[in-house]
Amino acid sequence: MTPYTSPQTAPPQSGGTSPVPAGGRDRYFDLLRALALFRVVLYHLVGWAWLPLVFPSMGVMFALAGSLMARSLARPAFEVIRSRVRRLLPPLWVLGAAAVTAMIVEGWRPGPSAVFWLLPLSDPPFLAAGWAGDLAEPLWYLRAYLWFVLLSPLLLRCLRKLPWATLAAPLALSFGLAAGYLSMPERIDSALTDFTTFGACWILGMARQEGVLARLPRYLVPSVAPFVMLAGIWWARRNGFGSGAELDGIPPADALWSLGAVMLLLHFSPSWESWPPKLRQWDSLITLLNARAVTVYLWHNVCILGAAALWDAMWDVDLLAEQAPWLLESWVPVLLLAWALIAGCVLVFGWAEDLAAKRRPRLWPNGEPRRRRSHTA
C-alpha cells in the first residue's frame, strides 16, 4: 500500500526459551502478536523502509502460529486442520461479502476464480485499482497461513526426522526462485514465494515447541542469528534495498532477516502465564488485539484509506489550513483515526472470529468480565 501523504508441550528450554504453557496462554506470545499488528498498521500508513528491520512482523506472526500449530498437533491432524481452517474462514467471508458486493456494484462480474473468496488457496479476484486493491492486499497472509496449516503435519514429521534440513529447505527454495531456477504460473509462484519467505519462521516456531532449540548450546543461537540477519542485509543491498526497493520486495533477504530476528526473539523469550508488573496496564489492549487479530489484519488497509480521506478533507477547513498546515501534513492524526476506524470494525465485524471459534459472540473481548469474575471469586 502506498504510504499516506497529504496532497498538500516440550521440556523447559535453555536460554529462556520455554514452550507455551500446557494450560493457558503464553502472554509473551500475546505481546509479540500485538506489537506485530501495531507495526503492520504503522508500516502500511507511513511506509518507512526501516520498520521491517526494527520488527519483522510477518516473520514473527508466522513463527508464533507455527509454534501453536505444533502444540495443537498433539491431537489428530485432521481435527487440528479442520479447527484452524474453520477459525480462518468466517472473518474472510465477512470481508468477502462486503468486497464482492461493492465490486459487483462497480460492474465486476464473478468468474470461476471467485471460489477463492470462499477458500483462499489462491488469491481471490478483485478490482486492481483504488480501494479494492487496498482491501485485498492483506489476503495473501490468509492464503499463506492456510497453506502452512495444511502442510504442518508433513512439516512436523520432517522436522522430527531432519530438523536442520527442514529448516533450511524454504531458504534454499527462496534463493532458487530469486535466481530464476524455478518458473511457475503466477498463482502458484505467489503462494510458493510466500512459503519460501516465511516457511523457515513457521518451522522455527514448531522447532521451539518441539524442544529442538532446547538441545542447542545456549550460546549458539545468539551467536548465529546476527550473521543470518547480516546475510539478509547483504543480499538486500545487492538487490536495490535503500534505493527504492523495500525489504518485503526482496524475498530471500526478507527470509534471512526475519529468520534471524525470530531466532533471537524465541531464544530469549520468557514464558509468561501472567503479566510482569510493568506490563499489566496493557493487559486489556493486548488481550483485545489477540482476540481480534484476524479482524484487525483484514480491515486495517481499508481503515487507513478511510482515515487518510477523512483527514485530507480537513484541508477544506480554512482555519486549520491557514493556521496549522503542519498538523494537516502529519501522519499522527491519520494513525489515530485509522485505529478508531479499526475499533469500529472490531465492533461491527469481530463477532465472526467468535463464531469461527464456536464461542458466544462478544463486542469487545478485552478480558474485563473474566478479570472481574476472578477478582470477585
Side-chain angles (χ1 to χ4, degrees):
M1 179 178 176
T2 304
Y4 169 72
T5 53
S6 173
Q8 318 238 338
T9 324
Q13 301 182 10
S14 62
T17 51
S18 303
V20 178
R25 300 188 65 90
D26 187 326
R27 303 304 271 168
Y28 177 70
F29 273 26
D30 288 347
L31 174 63
L32 290 181
R33 190 177 292 107
L35 290 173
L37 285 170
F38 182 81
R39 204 283 288 159
V40 164
V41 174
L42 181 61
Y43 177 65
H44 284 167
L45 174 64
V46 299
W48 295 330
W50 51 267
L51 274 176
L53 299 177
V54 172
F55 195 82
S57 288
M58 304 319 302
V60 169
M61 291 172 69
F62 281 119
L64 300 182
S67 180
L68 296 175
M69 187 68 184
R71 180 191 182 191
S72 297
L73 283 171
R75 309 197 311 271
F78 177 78
E79 175 186 329
V80 174
I81 291 174
R82 182 180 60 184
S83 174
R84 296 288 178 180
V85 172
R86 187 190 69 236
R87 286 170 178 256
L88 180 73
L89 294 181
L92 169 67
W93 293 340
V94 170
L95 180 77
V100 170
T101 300
M103 290 191 296
I104 289 175
V105 169
E106 293 198 9
W108 176 77
R109 292 296 176 262
S113 61
V115 71
F116 295 127
W117 278 108
L118 299 177
L119 186 65
L121 292 170
S122 185
D123 293 321
F126 58 89
L127 297 177
W131 63 268
D134 292 310
L135 183 70
E137 186 175 336
L139 298 181
W140 75 268
Y141 173 76
L142 270 68
R143 180 198 65 211
Y145 181 90
L146 177 60
W147 277 110
F148 280 129
V149 166
L150 296 175
L151 293 172
S152 280
L154 175 62
L155 293 174
L156 186 58
R157 192 174 300 116
C158 293
L159 177 68
R160 288 168 175 169
K161 292 183 178 180
L162 298 168
W164 306 119
T166 303
L167 185 63
L171 295 174
L173 284 171
S174 182
F175 281 96
L177 284 172
Y181 296 138
L182 299 173
S183 180
M184 303 279 181
E186 183 177 354
R187 284 193 176 275
I188 298 176
D189 183 75
S190 58
L192 187 59
T193 297
D194 295 336
F195 174 81
T196 60
T197 303
F198 300 108
C201 292
W202 183 280
I203 293 166
L204 189 66
M206 302 181 90
R208 189 242 193 193
Q209 182 62 31
E210 287 290 294
V212 174
L213 300 183
R215 297 192 286 270
L216 299 175
R218 293 187 62 179
Y219 65 83
L220 188 60
V221 168
S223 299
V224 171
F227 289 100
V228 175
M229 298 170 76
L230 286 173
I233 292 297
W234 174 79
W235 185 267
R237 293 296 299 273
R238 281 173 52 94
N239 289 272
F241 182 67
S243 58
E246 298 178 345
L247 190 65
D248 58 8
I250 311 171
D254 198 5
L256 287 169
W257 181 266
S258 297
L259 177 63
V262 167
M263 288 170 67
L264 293 174
L265 288 170
L266 295 185
H267 178 78
F268 291 114
S269 67
S271 184
W272 295 334
E273 294 188 60
S274 60
W275 290 113
K278 292 183 179 179
L279 292 175
R280 286 174 188 165
Q281 61 182 320
W282 302 101
D283 182 24
S284 294
L285 177 59
I286 294 172
T287 298
L288 177 65
L289 286 174
N290 277 268
R292 292 293 181 259
V294 177
T295 301
V296 171
Y297 191 81
L298 283 178
W299 290 93
H300 78 275
N301 261 8
V302 177
C303 293
I304 291 173
L305 190 68
L310 288 172
W311 194 243
D312 283 345
M314 293 296 100
W315 283 98
D316 295 333
V317 179
D318 293 337
L319 180 64
L320 286 175
E322 294 171 3
Q323 302 298 323
W326 58 269
L327 181 62
L328 295 176
E329 293 169 355
S330 173
W331 55 267
V332 175
V334 184
L335 180 64
L336 297 176
L337 271 174
W339 276 107
L341 293 176
I342 289 170
C345 289
V346 166
L347 289 170
V348 175
F349 305 117
W351 55 267
E353 294 196 58
D354 291 326
L355 182 68
K358 296 185 175 180
R359 293 190 298 257
R360 179 177 59 85
R362 298 163 294 171
L363 285 178
W364 198 253
N366 63 349
E368 288 295 341
R370 183 186 68 244
R371 282 190 288 275
R372 284 198 295 269
R373 285 195 299 269
S374 66
H375 291 160
T376 58

